[in-house]
């Protein structure tokens, strides 16, 4: 795994500029660096050596050095592609997966991308025509950012590299703050830095003659085979997942695995016998500590298991460090836990596998039960009565079943904006000093719902989460927290071959009354105890709710809420009232409070010049260098006290952990047990329950204004081709749309008919959909904004 950065433009001291840009991402690759510079471009690279340790330095060139590559990621089918390219006459000078990209691009240009199997963000410069090609992998596992500054173009794996470019003027993007307050992350492609964008997953970019052009080459489309049986599905999943894990384990260094109590990472870990797994937890009882579960499984599958218990002080002290590495504020508290488990693993291995993506691909979130359960309620209770019940429920305190009755009234497109929801439109208006920046979160989800409008509700939710939640939260924190510790994280569920199987599963084998991720769990149970395979979805529970009711941390947050940064953006009396209500136990506002607190910490790091800065690179780089040096010189067979001694020798003030000794407090066996899952009954004959995890990632609940019902269209007439009487084909009547929704439908259908077909059907550019969406005024938009 590596980090890349570069620019096309004229600046003084070009060599110093590109070195500064790469130095701030040294944590992505402490093993070595590399540079390429000519009159048009400067390209920088940091390497974490995984494959071909001795010869895989970058930049890498083709035979005549007309193409220059810097690459971040792994290509798992590189050996097969290498053979194919050699047969076509290409000559290789390394055994790395990186070189396959430069020769593959020379041979196939953009058509190379569908041939790849892996995770990647790379840049290829053509010295002959001065063009730059940049691509990002299918699901967005690896990051890529870019900006234009006049005639200059700048790109990098992390935004902090772009900030080092001397012509870049750092400006805060208020548009990102609006989306962050609703979703808990800045919705891509926007970032919190004005003019800096994410290259979206499944996209590539050309920069030539001062122009940027982006194109979508992959879209995660579902094509369920309703004839597939449960046994067929389980067999397919088991076969393709084993193949994916084995491919993801390819490396010239030792590979480990994260392990929690859930089925996703547990399934991955079953392929790691005699190798190492890693788990962290909190000292707040079983509800916030998965170590005992993971330990029991590790003993059964025969792995060497390592754990760390995160103290309250450690967690809160790490918040600034984590937000520095995130580049942008992320209000998912599990990213801090991920930072600690990555740090633990980095003492032992260079590569880990993890379970990200399983929920989105196989239907694992508990909120995916909603459409099935809501259908019963919506069938029994007429819409007018549901509206009345919702109006009453909105005035009730936060009691069991209240949110269910509110959500069940609305159609999916209005109630579900993704796997997390913080503040709605009215709450943002009340909270913000400048309420004019507030928008409805549905404005950002609308285009995705139109792209998947033909799917059932469960599949629509999966599609939305794959394109928004997974990109903006799950994969962002996975990359940043592992790379902060110079650790490569691989995700075998997010493999295009695995997705082909997942996308073909009938909805009933993804989510049903028995369980979520139903078929995947049946495949996993062949490799692990049934109790683990069938364990309910918990996410990564973090005790922020508990901490914010302790006086110590209540005061930490309150100080921030009354500070000058809070005064700049928010009505602080509203902030404090949210905090006080939670502290007193009247309401559970922990997630909303945490969202604001994280933003304030992040803003002070990146924009407040008077605040105390987080040290760069803030991740115990001395320790990482010691680890890397020990590995290079083969001083040890396994980390532990020897590496820690090397780290302490470099930094005498570094407090090395005592591996092999549990320095934490003994877990109180009688501590708080997991809260009972929420049981929501929709009618007398409904006995199923909808369980909501207490992991900070509850289903998004949106309370929209009512939209007027659209009248049914009259029956269509048949039209024939009167200019050719011999043509017997019946044609659709030409018509004018009667509603904005119908106008949108017709426009999308028209684009689909003339869209370019790749290996996935109907790949429509996001720009095309955006242009149509922005040109139409939908029912309810003006009413919502006027309230």
């Amino acid at each position: 795994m590596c980090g890349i950065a570069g620019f096309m433009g004229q600046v003084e001291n070009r060599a110093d500029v590109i070195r500064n840009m790469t130095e701030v991402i040294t944590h992505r690759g402490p093993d070595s660096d590399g540079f390429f510079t000519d009159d048009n471009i400067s390209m920088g690279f940091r390497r974490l050596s995984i494959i071909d340790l001795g010869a895989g330095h970058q930049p890498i060139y083709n035979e005549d050095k007309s193409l220059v590559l810097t690459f971040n990621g792994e290509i798992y089918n590189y050996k097969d592609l290498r053979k194919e390219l050699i047969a076509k006459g290409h000559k290789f000078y390394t055994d790395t997966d990186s070189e396959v990209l430069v020769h593959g691009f020379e041979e196939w240009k953009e058509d190379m991308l569908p041939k790849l199997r892996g995770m990647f963000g790379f840049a290829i410069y053509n010295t002959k025509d001065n063009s730059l090609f940049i691509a990002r992998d299918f699901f967005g596992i690896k990051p890529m950012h870019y900006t234009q500054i006049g005639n200059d173009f700048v790109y990098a794996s992390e935004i902090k590299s772009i900030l080092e470019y001397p012509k870049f003027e750092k400006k805060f993007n208020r548009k990102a703050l609006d989306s962050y307050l609703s979703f808990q992350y800045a919705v891509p492609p926007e970032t919190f830095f004005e003019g800096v964008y994410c290259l979206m997953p499944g996209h590539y970019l050309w920069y030539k003659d001062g122009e940027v052009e982006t194109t979508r080459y992959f879209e995660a489309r579902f094509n369920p085979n309703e004839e597939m049986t449960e046994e067929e599905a389980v067999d397919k999943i088991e076969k393709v997942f084993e193949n994916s894990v084995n491919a993801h384990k390819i490396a010239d260094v030792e590979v480990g695995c994260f392990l929690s109590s859930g089925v996703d990472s547990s399934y991955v870990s079953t392929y790691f016998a005699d190798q190492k797994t890693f788990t962290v937890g909190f000292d707040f009882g079983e509800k916030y500590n998965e170590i005992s579960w993971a330990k029991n499984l590790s003993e059964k599958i025969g792995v060497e298991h390592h754990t760390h218990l995160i103290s309250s002080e450690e967690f809160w002290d790490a918040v600034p460090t984590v937000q520095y590495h995130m580049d942008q504020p992320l209000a998912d508290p599990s990213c801090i836990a991920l930072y600690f488990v990555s740090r633990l693993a980095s003492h032992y291995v260079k590569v880990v596998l993890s379970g990200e993506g399983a929920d989105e691909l196989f239907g694992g979130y508990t909120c995916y039960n909603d459409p099935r359960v809501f259908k019963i309620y919506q069938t029994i209770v007429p819409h007018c009565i549901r509206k009345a019940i919702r109006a009453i429920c909105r005035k009730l305190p936060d009691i069991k079943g209240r949110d269910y009755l509110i959500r069940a009234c609305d159609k999916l497109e209005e109630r579900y904006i993704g796997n997390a929801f913080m503040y709605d439109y009215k709450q943002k208006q009340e909270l913000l000093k400048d309420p004019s920046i507030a928008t409805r979160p549905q404005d950002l989800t609308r285009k995705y719902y139109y792209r998947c409008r033909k799917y059932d509700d469960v599949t629509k939710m999966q599609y939305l989460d794959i394109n928004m939640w997974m990109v903006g939260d799950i994969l962002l924190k996975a990359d940043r927290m592992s790379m902060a510790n110079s650790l490569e994280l691989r995700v075998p569920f997010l493999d295009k071959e695995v997705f082909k199987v997942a996308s073909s599963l009938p909805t009933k084998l993804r989510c049903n009354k028995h369980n979520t991720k139903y078929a995947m769990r049946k495949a996993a149970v062949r490799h692990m105890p049934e109790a683990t395979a069938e364990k309910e979805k918990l996410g990564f529970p973090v005790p922020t709710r508990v901490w914010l009711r302790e006086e110590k941390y209540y005061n930490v947050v309150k100080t921030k809420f009354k500070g000058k940064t809070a005064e700049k953006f928010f009505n602080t009396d509203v902030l404090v009232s949210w905090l006080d209500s939670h502290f007193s136990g009247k309401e559970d506002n922990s997630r909303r409070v945490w969202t604001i607190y994280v933003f304030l910490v992040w803003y002070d790091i990146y924009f407040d010049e008077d605040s105390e800065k987080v040290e760069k690179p803030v991740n115990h780089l001395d320790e990482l260098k010691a680890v890397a040096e020990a590995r290079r010189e083969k001083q040890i067979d396994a980390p532990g006290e020897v590496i820690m001694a090397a780290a302490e020798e470099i930094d005498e003030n570094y407090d090395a952990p005592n591996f092999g000794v549990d320095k934490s407090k003994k877990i109180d066996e009688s501590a708080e047990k997991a809260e009972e899952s929420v049981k929501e009954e929709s009618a007398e004959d409904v006995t199923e329950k909808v369980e909501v995890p207490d992991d900070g990632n509850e289903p998004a609940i949106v309370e929209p204004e009512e939209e007027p019902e659209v009248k049914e269209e009259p029956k269509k007439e048949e039209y024939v081709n009167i200019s050719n009487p011999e043509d017997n084909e019946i044609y659709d009547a030409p018509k004018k749309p009667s509603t904005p929704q119908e106008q949108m439908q017709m426009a999308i259908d028209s684009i689909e008919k003339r869209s370019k077909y790749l290996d996935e059907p109907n790949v429509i550019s996001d720009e095309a959909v955006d242009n149509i969406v922005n040109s139409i005024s939908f029912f309810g938009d003006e009413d919502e904004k006027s309230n």
Side-chain angles (χ1 to χ4, degrees):
M1 192 56 57
C2 310
I4 67 174
F7 63 88
M8 297 183 76
Q10 300 303 316
V11 293
E12 295 181 2
N13 303 316
R14 295 170 65 88
D16 291 339
V17 171
I18 192 61
R19 285 190 178 277
N20 291 339
M21 291 176 66
T22 54
E23 186 175 331
V24 295
I25 54 171
T26 298
H27 49 275
R28 297 190 74 90
D31 291 335
S32 66
D33 58 17
F35 303 93
F36 172 84
T37 298
D38 68 8
D39 293 338
N40 297 294
I41 194 170
S42 291
M43 305 173 76
F45 170 75
R46 293 295 320 191
R47 187 188 188 204
L48 181 67
S49 49
I50 304 295
I51 294 176
D52 195 2
L53 306 185
H57 302 290
Q58 295 185 35
I60 281 182
Y61 308 86
N62 63 337
E63 293 90 340
D64 63 1
K65 294 194 174 182
S66 61
L67 297 178
V68 188
L69 166 81
T70 53
F71 163 58
N72 169 30
E74 300 290 346
I75 306 300
Y76 303 119
N77 62 337
Y78 78 96
K79 292 183 180 180
D80 293 334
L81 293 174
R82 177 190 172 95
K83 291 178 183 177
E84 186 176 350
L85 288 164
I86 289 175
K88 290 179 178 292
H90 292 269
K91 298 184 184 302
F92 284 73
Y93 65 92
T94 74
D95 292 323
T96 66
D97 55 340
S98 308
E99 194 176 357
V100 165
L101 294 176
V102 72
H103 292 295
F105 184 76
E106 184 179 27
E107 182 69 32
W108 299 303
K109 294 293 188 290
E110 302 98 323
D111 292 337
M112 171 186 69
L113 296 173
K115 299 176 183 292
L116 302 178
R117 184 181 186 183
M119 54 182 183
F120 51 85
F122 64 83
I124 296 178
Y125 174 64
N126 189 320
T127 61
K128 293 181 178 179
D129 63 9
N130 299 327
S131 63
L132 179 66
F133 179 81
I134 297 176
R136 191 178 183 193
D137 64 65
F138 309 100
F139 298 102
I141 304 168
K142 291 291 98 187
M144 183 61 68
H145 302 86
Y146 66 94
T147 188
Q148 268 191 284
I149 310 162
N151 294 323
D152 296 1
F153 180 79
V154 189
Y155 66 91
S157 297
E158 296 187 15
I159 298 175
K160 58 178 63 67
S161 289
I162 295 176
L163 303 184
E164 296 295 318
Y165 191 66
K167 291 186 182 180
F168 181 75
E169 184 180 352
K170 185 170 61 176
K171 293 182 180 179
F172 178 77
N173 184 8
R174 290 174 178 265
K175 190 175 180 181
L177 175 59
D178 170 56
S179 66
Y180 169 82
L181 290 176
S182 289
F183 296 88
Q184 85 174 16
Y185 56 86
V187 175
E190 292 286 339
T191 73
F192 269 89
F193 299 89
E194 193 173 298
V196 178
Y197 302 97
C198 300
L199 180 62
M200 294 297 285
H203 281 67
Y204 63 79
L205 175 155
W206 278 103
Y207 180 76
K208 188 175 182 180
D209 299 328
E211 298 293 328
V212 174
E213 181 181 356
T214 61
T215 303
R216 187 171 197 160
Y217 70 88
F218 172 83
E219 183 174 9
R221 303 298 293 263
F222 286 82
N223 299 288
N225 175 9
E226 299 298 338
E227 302 301 318
M228 187 183 296
T229 66
E230 179 179 322
E231 184 176 359
E232 289 173 338
V234 173
D235 288 342
K236 285 176 178 288
I237 293 169
E238 183 181 35
K239 181 179 179 180
V240 75
F241 189 64
E242 181 176 1
N243 177 271
S244 179
V245 171
N246 289 335
H248 282 69
K249 290 172 71 175
I250 295 174
D252 293 333
V253 296
E254 185 178 3
V255 179
C257 182
F258 288 163
L259 177 59
S260 69
S261 66
V263 64
D264 304 338
S265 62
S266 297
Y267 193 6
V268 179
S269 71
T270 59
Y271 294 94
F272 277 78
D274 299 321
Q275 293 173 283
K276 299 178 178 66
T277 56
F278 309 94
T279 308
V280 296
F282 299 93
D283 192 11
F284 280 87
E286 289 185 3
K287 182 177 180 180
Y288 301 106
N289 190 347
E290 301 178 314
I291 290 177
S292 60
W293 273 85
K295 182 180 179 181
N296 291 336
L297 179 62
S298 67
E299 291 173 354
K300 287 182 172 66
I301 63 178
V303 297
E304 180 184 325
H305 190 52
H306 300 270
T307 65
H308 175 65
L309 203 61
I310 305 169
S311 69
S312 302
E313 291 75 15
E314 276 184 307
F315 181 92
W316 284 82
D317 288 347
V319 174
T321 298
V322 166
Q323 293 308 317
Y324 167 79
H325 278 290
M326 290 302 306
D327 277 348
Q328 303 186 79
L330 178 65
D332 185 345
S334 68
C335 67
I336 301 175
L338 186 54
Y339 172 81
F340 279 102
V341 73
S342 296
R343 184 173 167 184
L344 170 66
S346 71
H347 296 311
Y348 294 85
V349 295
K350 264 190 172 180
V351 181
V352 291
L353 269 58
S354 189
E356 279 81 0
D359 291 312
E360 290 81 6
L361 268 60
F362 289 97
Y365 293 116
T366 54
C367 58
Y368 293 164
N369 273 312
D370 285 357
R372 175 177 54 82
V373 180
F374 287 177
K375 184 177 181 180
I376 302 171
Y377 174 66
Q378 291 167 349
T379 300
I380 296 173
V381 182
H383 185 256
C384 58
I385 298 178
R386 294 201 307 270
K387 288 173 62 178
I389 293 173
R390 181 178 65 180
I392 295 171
C393 287
R394 282 174 171 169
K395 299 177 181 179
L396 295 176
D398 187 10
I399 59 175
K400 183 180 291 188
R402 170 185 178 269
D403 290 338
Y404 170 87
L405 294 172
I406 292 174
R407 300 200 316 273
C409 184
D410 300 314
K411 61 182 182 179
L412 177 70
E413 290 79 359
E414 288 296 323
R415 73 169 182 263
Y416 188 73
I417 66 166
N419 214 275
F421 172 68
M422 297 300 140
Y423 294 94
D424 63 22
Y425 175 66
K426 291 181 179 178
Q427 289 170 334
K428 288 190 292 186
Q429 283 190 314
E430 179 186 9
L431 185 65
L432 288 163
K433 272 280 180 67
D434 179 10
S436 67
I437 70 173
T439 62
R440 298 176 72 244
Q442 293 88 346
D443 292 344
L444 292 173
T445 61
R446 180 179 291 149
K447 70 176 179 180
Y448 293 109
Y449 274 121
Y450 269 98
R451 296 179 76 96
C452 67
R453 63 199 175 282
K454 297 177 183 177
Y455 296 157
D456 62 84
D457 280 0
V458 171
T459 309
K460 285 179 179 178
M461 296 170 82
Q462 288 181 252
Y463 180 88
L464 187 71
D465 283 342
I466 286 172
N467 284 279
M468 295 187 70
W469 164 254
M470 191 170 76
V471 180
D473 185 301
I474 299 296
L475 294 179
L476 177 67
K477 69 186 180 186
D479 173 78
R480 293 299 198 277
M481 295 300 92
S482 58
M483 285 284 88
N485 292 283
S486 300
L487 181 75
E488 176 171 294
L489 186 146
R490 299 179 179 180
V491 282
F493 281 110
L494 289 178
D495 173 79
K496 70 175 186 177
E497 299 303 321
V498 174
F499 177 72
K500 285 180 182 178
V501 173
S503 64
S504 69
L505 298 178
T507 307
K508 64 185 178 183
L509 294 182
R510 284 179 262 137
C511 181
N512 57 38
K513 65 181 180 180
H514 301 291
N515 215 329
T516 58
K517 280 183 299 204
Y518 178 78
M520 196 213 83
R521 293 178 189 272
K522 294 300 180 184
V525 81
R526 296 177 176 181
H527 299 261
M528 68 181 74
E530 185 175 4
T532 302
E534 299 294 339
K535 190 172 183 292
E536 66 176 303
K537 174 68 182 176
L538 289 177
F540 202 124
V542 179
T544 48
R545 175 195 298 174
V546 181
W547 281 323
L548 291 172
R549 284 179 176 151
E550 294 181 9
E551 189 170 355
K552 176 180 179 179
Y553 299 112
Y554 162 79
N555 288 326
V556 168
V557 175
K558 191 169 186 178
T559 299
K560 276 288 184 186
F561 279 10
K562 289 188 171 184
K564 65 177 183 179
T565 302
E567 287 278 359
K568 183 175 183 177
F569 293 102
F570 306 109
N571 294 316
T572 54
D573 56 335
V574 177
L575 289 182
V576 174
S577 68
W578 282 89
L579 177 61
D580 287 345
S581 293
H582 179 84
F583 182 68
S584 64
K586 293 179 181 178
E587 295 180 288
D588 179 10
N589 295 328
S590 56
R591 298 173 67 217
R592 292 186 175 94
V593 167
W594 183 257
T595 298
I596 303 297
Y597 174 71
V598 164
F599 166 75
L600 297 175
V601 170
W602 171 85
Y603 185 89
D604 286 346
I605 293 170
Y606 278 95
F607 283 93
D608 185 358
E609 299 301 328
D610 297 328
S611 69
E612 184 178 346
K613 294 300 176 185
V614 175
E615 301 243 346
K616 293 190 268 190
V618 306
N619 62 329
H620 303 294
L621 187 59
D622 291 334
E623 172 196 340
L624 295 173
K625 287 179 178 177
V627 174
E629 184 66 26
R631 285 178 182 139
R632 279 196 296 272
E633 297 181 6
K634 297 183 179 179
Q635 294 174 339
I636 52 174
D637 295 324
E641 295 182 0
V642 177
I643 286 182
M644 294 304 98
E648 289 176 324
E649 185 175 348
I650 292 174
D651 181 0
E652 61 181 6
N653 295 319
Y654 177 66
D655 181 18
N658 184 5
F659 281 81
V661 179
D662 186 3
K663 299 196 296 184
S664 61
K665 295 183 296 182
K666 186 177 179 181
I667 300 174
D668 184 358
E669 294 294 337
S670 63
E672 174 186 13
K673 293 184 178 179
E675 290 182 2
E676 192 175 357
S677 299
V678 179
K679 183 190 297 182
E680 301 176 345
E681 297 186 3
S682 57
E684 290 182 2
D685 58 348
V686 178
T687 59
E688 302 165 19
K689 63 181 181 180
V690 178
E691 297 177 335
V692 180
D694 180 27
D695 59 357
N697 297 327
E698 294 126 278
I701 306 167
V702 187
E703 302 178 13
E705 294 296 314
E706 291 297 317
E707 291 185 355
E709 296 182 4
V710 180
K711 294 182 180 179
E712 247 183 59
E713 295 182 69
K715 187 178 179 181
K716 298 179 181 178
E717 297 182 28
E718 292 183 349
Y719 279 71
V720 297
N721 186 355
I722 59 174
S723 64
N724 184 4
E726 295 180 1
D727 185 355
N728 295 321
E729 184 176 352
I730 301 299
Y731 291 85
D732 289 336
K735 60 182 180 180
K736 182 178 181 181
S738 58
T739 68
Q741 284 78 3
E742 187 177 343
Q743 180 184 350
M744 169 66 81
Q745 182 73 43
M746 291 172 62
I748 296 291
D749 290 342
S750 174
I751 294 175
E752 284 184 340
K753 289 178 182 177
R754 59 180 188 268
S755 65
K756 178 181 178 182
Y757 280 68
L758 298 171
D759 62 320
E760 294 287 335
N762 300 331
V763 181
I764 312 169
S765 73
D766 282 337
E767 290 80 4
V769 176
D770 285 340
N771 290 338
I772 296 169
V773 170
N774 293 334
S775 68
I776 298 173
S777 176
F778 286 82
F779 293 138
D781 285 5
E782 294 181 1
D783 293 340
E784 181 75 25
K785 292 175 181 177
S786 63
N787 288 338

